Amino acid sequence: MSHTQARPVESERIALKARNVSFSWEDTPLHWVPGDPFTTHTINVLHLLLPAGERWFVQVYKQVLPLIKDDRLREDVIGFIGQEAMHSQSHDEVLPHLRAQGLDPTPYTAQVDWFFEKLLGDRTLPPGRARRWWLLERVALIAAIEHYTAFLGDWVLGAAELDRRGADPTMLDLLRWHGAEEVEHRSVAFDLFTHLDGSYRRRARTWASAFSALLFLWQRGVRFFMANDPTLTGPEASKASFKDFYDRGRAGVLPGTGAMLRSIPRYLGRDYHPSHEFSTAQAVAYLAASPAALAAEQAERSLKGAA
């Protein structure tokens, strides 16, 4: 076991707070990237994966809190829990909108719920070594997943091509508010893993598990959406290939395949620390302008004023 600490960039750390945002979906079309069902549904998979996944993050981290010996890290983890709970709720609220438009995600979300609640959930293990091992495995898995959520958050903050193509502004605000908070708290999961364990072997092993699971679940989700989209028929309904993803990445409406692959050796580098990637200042700048975040801040101020 290695407890070698990577050196964080102190200026990238920020106090975390949950923002009580809300979104209205009445005016958001089914294909919120106009004329591009594939891009729409590739990003829509987030609404299927994240509610269950982030509930699982919160569940695991609540179990971990008593093991944290560093007050500053505990404060970060509590802020992380608050943000992730809000992310889960906000993406969950998109699902009724999809059902209203004739696309019921329940068959797929049931599989995702099973994956996080049963496969990765709590197990009946004897107290002591076995129970701690399973807890640390899940902490390491979350650190690996958070590497990719921060990557996606950074990407969507700069995805100007989505704006140029007329993507729905409410959906973009949801994605960018969430993405900005992922960049804000990008170091917490890795710092927690390092604090509790830090084993390089565990980091590499759980990265492989997390990457494989995300890839499998994502492509399955895209195919589910394309096959069940009530507006798509014939060959278009089954069109969901890696080439489609690659081409959209080159066009700038999805993350670039090359950039995603280049992120792998960075995470697996022994000197890796998330604070060396992306920009907290960019995230904070978006949150200062986000319609949903601004409305949440105003509502919070009004409540305080009324009190």
Side-chain angles (χ1 to χ4, degrees):
M1 182 183 294
S2 167
H3 291 273
T4 302
Q5 287 270 3
R7 291 185 179 180
V9 179
E10 188 60 31
S11 61
E12 290 294 312
R13 183 182 180 272
I14 190 170
L16 303 174
K17 65 174 183 178
R19 298 167 177 88
N20 191 23
V21 298
S22 62
F23 300 90
S24 176
W25 300 111
E26 288 84 355
D27 298 325
T28 300
L30 180 59
H31 300 154
W32 55 266
V33 182
D36 194 345
F38 180 82
T39 295
T40 295
H41 291 323
T42 299
I43 299 176
N44 273 347
V45 175
L46 287 169
H47 309 312
L48 307 186
L49 289 177
L50 291 177
E54 292 182 313
R55 283 194 299 269
W56 174 71
F57 289 3
V58 170
Q59 177 192 9
V60 171
Y61 275 19
K62 284 182 176 178
Q63 293 177 42
V64 164
L65 277 173
L67 305 179
I68 301 173
K69 306 304 181 188
D70 181 281
D71 290 341
R72 185 175 175 182
L73 179 58
R74 184 181 297 106
E75 178 186 331
D76 287 343
V77 170
I78 291 169
F80 178 98
I81 287 171
Q83 288 190 339
E84 293 293 329
M86 198 68 229
H87 298 169
S88 175
Q89 177 182 318
S90 297
H91 285 277
D92 217 9
E93 289 172 355
V94 180
L95 302 185
H97 173 66
L98 295 176
R99 291 189 191 97
Q101 294 182 311
L103 211 173
D104 183 4
T106 304
Y108 184 81
T109 54
Q111 296 174 34
V112 174
D113 289 344
W114 177 87
F115 179 81
F116 285 106
E117 293 173 12
K118 303 298 182 185
L119 188 63
L120 295 180
D122 293 336
R123 297 179 180 176
T124 307
L125 296 169
R129 201 165 177 180
R131 191 174 293 180
R132 182 178 174 86
W133 179 89
W134 181 229
L135 186 59
L136 291 178
E137 284 290 294
R138 293 183 292 169
V139 167
L141 280 168
I142 293 170
I145 293 169
E146 281 291 300
H147 173 68
Y148 286 101
T149 57
F151 171 87
L152 293 173
D154 178 73
W155 172 78
V156 78
L157 285 172
E161 187 62 26
L162 288 172
D163 300 274
R164 281 193 285 269
R165 299 207 181 184
D168 178 72
T170 303
M171 188 64 77
L172 284 181
D173 190 34
L174 166 66
L175 296 171
R176 287 173 175 159
W177 155 75
H178 184 172
E181 290 196 347
E182 291 297 331
V183 172
E184 267 193 325
H185 71 222
R186 67 191 181 279
S187 296
V188 176
F190 189 82
D191 286 344
L192 179 60
F193 165 65
T194 304
H195 178 71
L196 296 177
D197 180 64
S199 161
Y200 182 79
R201 187 174 297 176
R202 176 173 269 139
R203 177 172 21 137
R205 182 181 67 248
T206 52
W207 166 81
S209 299
F211 183 79
S212 301
L214 287 172
L215 199 62
F216 172 77
L217 290 170
W218 213 296
Q219 59 86 23
R220 194 173 175 85
V222 177
R223 289 177 180 171
F224 172 84
F225 268 135
M226 295 294 285
N228 290 277
D229 185 321
T231 70
L232 303 180
T233 57
E236 189 180 15
S238 59
K239 191 181 180 190
S241 68
F242 174 76
K243 184 178 184 304
D244 293 316
F245 182 89
Y246 178 79
D247 290 344
R248 298 312 198 283
R250 292 193 67 182
V253 292
L254 288 177
T257 304
M260 292 182 69
L261 293 176
R262 287 191 295 273
S263 76
I264 295 171
R266 295 202 302 274
Y267 183 75
L268 295 178
R270 290 185 180 271
D271 59 349
Y272 169 81
H273 191 272
S275 63
H276 292 272
E277 305 206 344
F278 318 130
S279 167
T280 299
Q282 182 189 28
V284 169
Y286 182 76
L287 291 167
S290 158
L294 286 171
E297 188 177 339
Q298 173 139 22
E300 185 179 353
R301 281 200 302 265
S302 298
L303 281 173
K304 285 180 181 176

